Structure formats: C-alpha cells, structure tokens
C-alpha cells in the first residue's frame, strides 16, 4: 500500500493475536455461502478459500512461524509510520498469555522508530468467546499509544520492581473502579505491555533494522530479561493482584479534583 509521507493524523489498528485466532480458517465458514451467491458477479469470491500464505498469523501447520509474523507486522508498522505526521499517535491493542507473542510487537515498534508514550488497560473480550472460553486467558487488552517524536516523563521508564508494581496497581485499581474484576491472566498481560514499552525505550538508540529477525527477537528477550527475570513474571503479576484490598478499592472510588503538575526536569524529548 502506497501512502504519501506525513499524510495521516493518526493510525488506529488491532493486529492479529499471534497464533490465537486463525482468521481465514474461521472466515471460510462464512465464505463458502458468500461464494455460492457472489462468485459469478464478484471475481474475488471465485477463490476456493480465503486462506493465503501471506496471512499475518502464526500457524505452524501452514508453515507460518514467529519470523513470518514478525516480518509482516514490521512491514505494516513501518509503512504506516512513514505515512504518519510527526508526533501524531499510532495506537493499537494487543494481548496474549505468552510473553514470546509480544516480541514481534517490540520488533515492529523499533523498526518503525516508534516510542510507546503510554500503555493503557482496556476490556476487550468476553469470557465466553470461543477462543478463550475455559482457558483462564486475559479479557483485557493493552492499548499501546506510540509516537515518532514528542516528550515524555523519564520517570515512566523506571524499571525497578517497585515501579512495575506501582504501574500494575494503578492499572488494576482503575479497572476495579470501573466495576471490573481483573484476574491473574489480565494482570500478567498488562505487565507484558509495560515490559514491552520499557524494552523498546532501552533498545531504540542502538537498534539496527537490517539485523536478521532471529537476532532482533533475541535482543528483545535479553532486554526483557534485564528488566525483570522472565521466569518470575507470573509471580509478580499474582502478588500485585493479591496485594489489592477492599480498602484500596474504596480509596480508588473516591473522586477528588487534583491539580496534575509535571516536573520540567522529568521531561525528556525523543
């Protein structure tokens, strides 16, 4: 897709969830009926199936692995970032139970020279959805808000365990204040979103787009491991969730008008 440079005021998208949903396989259930009625008049419906080698999902039985997903996602992000006006938002939603599924997200952001200025929790799924029912999966997305240039608070990139816990607690309290009951799976996915934001920031100055995909993915893993031991992520998420009390909930429900101030010394440009 050819888009003029700096022609978009925003990019809002919802990438495929790695290997969670095989969209073409699901679409074929509907497509066979549409094809029956439209094939004579619409050439696009003369194909036997909607499946294609280019589908941007991980599907090992079809030979589409994490490299395929990473390369495709990166091409999309780079293309649309090129068409985005400087400083305008590139926002997308994502969640997955496995931190490995977030590595392509980080690669795509770094290849596109995007910085995550915020990661926000958002209800996204129904627990009864076919692909997550009974799996204890998260029903919360992280909304990644990214930009190519702007200012941000340096304190947002504190990678200490205490800082990560504060971020998670704030997300969970906001969700509870909205009448939601976050689960351990939700908490874990929100934590993954924060970790990807932090890893992208740490790697941006030394990132090389021409590296092999395998090396890019390994750099992301290493950066994440430096921030927090990956084997302990589930424990951190569970501990943070269990630390919330009814007192926290009542306190979070008190609405008070506050004056938000920013320390100029805390702001950095990118």
């Amino acid at each position: 897709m050819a888009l003029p440079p700096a022609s978009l005021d925003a990019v809002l998208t919802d990438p495929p969830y790695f290997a969670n949903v095989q969209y073409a396989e699901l679409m074929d259930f509907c497509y066979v009926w549409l094809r029956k009625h439209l094939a004579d008049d619409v050439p696009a419906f003369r194909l036997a199936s909607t499946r294609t080698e280019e589908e941007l999902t991980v599907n090992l039985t079809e030979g589409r692995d994490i490299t395929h997903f990473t390369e495709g996602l990166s091409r999309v992000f780079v293309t649309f970032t090129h068409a985005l006006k400087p400083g305008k938002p590139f926002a997308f939603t994502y969640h997955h139970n496995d931190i490995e599924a977030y590595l392509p997200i980080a690669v795509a952001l770094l290849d596109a020279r995007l910085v995550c200025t915020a990661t926000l929790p958002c209800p996204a799924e129904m627990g009864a959805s076919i692909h997550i029912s009974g799996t204890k999966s998260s029903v919360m997305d992280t909304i990644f808000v990214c930009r190519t240039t702007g200012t941000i608070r340096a304190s947002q990139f504190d990678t200490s365990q205490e800082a990560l816990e504060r971020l998670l607690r704030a997300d969970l309290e906001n969700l509870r204040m909205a009448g939601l009951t976050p689960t351990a799976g939700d908490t874990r996915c929100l934590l993954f979103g924060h970790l990807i934001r932090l890893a992208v920031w740490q790697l941006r100055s030394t990132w090389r787009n021409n590296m092999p995909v395998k090396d890019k993915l390994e750099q992301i893993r290493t950066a994440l491991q430096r921030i927090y031991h990956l084997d302990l992520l589930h424990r951190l998420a569970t501990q943070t969730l269990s630390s919330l009390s009814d007192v926290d909930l009542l306190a979070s429900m008190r609405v008070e008008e506050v004056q938000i101030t920013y320390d100029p010394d805390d702001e950095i440009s990118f």
Side-chain angles (χ1 to χ4, degrees):
M1 178 180 292
L3 293 169
S7 60
L8 301 179
D9 290 305
V11 174
L12 309 174
T13 187
D14 182 10
Y17 294 129
F18 201 62
N20 273 6
V21 182
Q22 300 304 321
Y23 299 94
E25 292 179 9
L26 292 173
M27 184 58 198
D28 273 354
F29 284 100
C30 305
Y31 178 76
V32 292
W33 298 103
L34 295 171
R35 180 174 178 267
K36 182 179 180 66
H37 295 285
L38 297 175
D40 290 341
D41 300 317
V42 184
F45 283 89
R46 293 171 190 167
L47 298 172
S49 168
T50 62
R51 303 184 195 188
T52 168
E53 294 179 356
E54 297 303 314
E55 184 181 357
L56 194 51
T57 60
V58 173
N59 187 329
L60 298 182
T61 60
E62 297 290 338
R64 298 195 300 269
D65 59 8
I66 190 171
T67 297
H68 167 86
F69 186 71
T70 303
E71 290 175 339
L73 197 65
S74 176
R75 283 195 298 270
V76 173
F77 276 38
V78 169
T79 297
F80 280 89
T81 301
H82 178 69
L84 189 64
K85 294 177 181 177
K88 296 300 183 180
F90 184 116
F92 62 94
T93 65
Y94 195 76
H95 84 250
H96 200 283
N97 284 337
D98 188 350
I99 189 66
E100 281 284 306
Y102 285 77
L103 305 185
I105 294 289
V107 171
L109 289 170
L110 285 160
D111 282 350
R113 303 298 171 182
L114 287 164
V115 169
C116 292
T117 54
T119 49
L120 309 170
C122 180
E125 299 272 7
M126 296 183 297
S129 295
I130 293 174
H131 64 290
I132 63 173
S133 179
T135 65
K136 298 183 180 180
S137 297
S138 173
V139 296
M140 299 290 171
D141 270 10
T142 291
I143 299 178
F144 291 81
V145 183
C146 312
R147 289 177 169 82
T148 55
T149 185
T151 59
I152 198 166
R153 286 178 291 160
S155 56
Q156 287 184 259
F157 296 100
D158 185 347
T159 59
S160 66
Q161 179 173 334
E162 293 76 14
L164 287 172
E165 289 176 349
R166 283 196 302 271
L167 288 168
L168 272 181
R169 284 179 64 89
D171 286 346
L172 296 172
E173 287 170 356
N174 285 333
L175 290 169
R176 291 177 67 178
M177 186 170 63
L180 301 169
T181 305
T183 66
D186 297 330
T187 309
R188 183 174 59 249
C189 289
L190 297 177
L191 173 59
F192 291 169
H194 286 299
L195 290 171
I196 291 301
R197 175 178 62 81
L198 294 169
V200 167
W201 179 258
Q202 289 191 353
L203 292 171
R204 57 187 292 273
S205 62
T206 59
W207 188 257
R208 293 184 294 110
N209 285 34
N210 60 355
M211 286 187 293
V213 171
K214 179 181 177 181
D215 294 344
K216 291 180 178 180
L217 294 171
E218 190 55 39
Q219 281 207 21
I220 304 298
R221 288 190 193 95
T222 301
L224 291 171
Q225 190 75 15
R226 283 198 303 264
I227 295 170
Y228 200 85
H229 199 294
L230 297 184
D231 292 338
L232 301 178
L233 291 179
H234 179 71
R235 181 190 300 178
L236 175 60
T238 303
Q239 287 177 345
T240 305
L241 179 62
S242 62
S243 71
L244 295 179
S245 66
D246 292 336
V247 174
D248 296 322
L249 177 58
L250 292 173
S252 68
M253 293 178 68
R254 288 199 297 268
V255 179
E256 298 178 0
E257 186 174 350
V258 296
Q259 182 68 36
I260 299 176
T261 59
Y262 294 99
D263 180 358
D265 294 333
D266 189 35
E267 284 194 350
I268 51 178
S269 299
F270 60 90

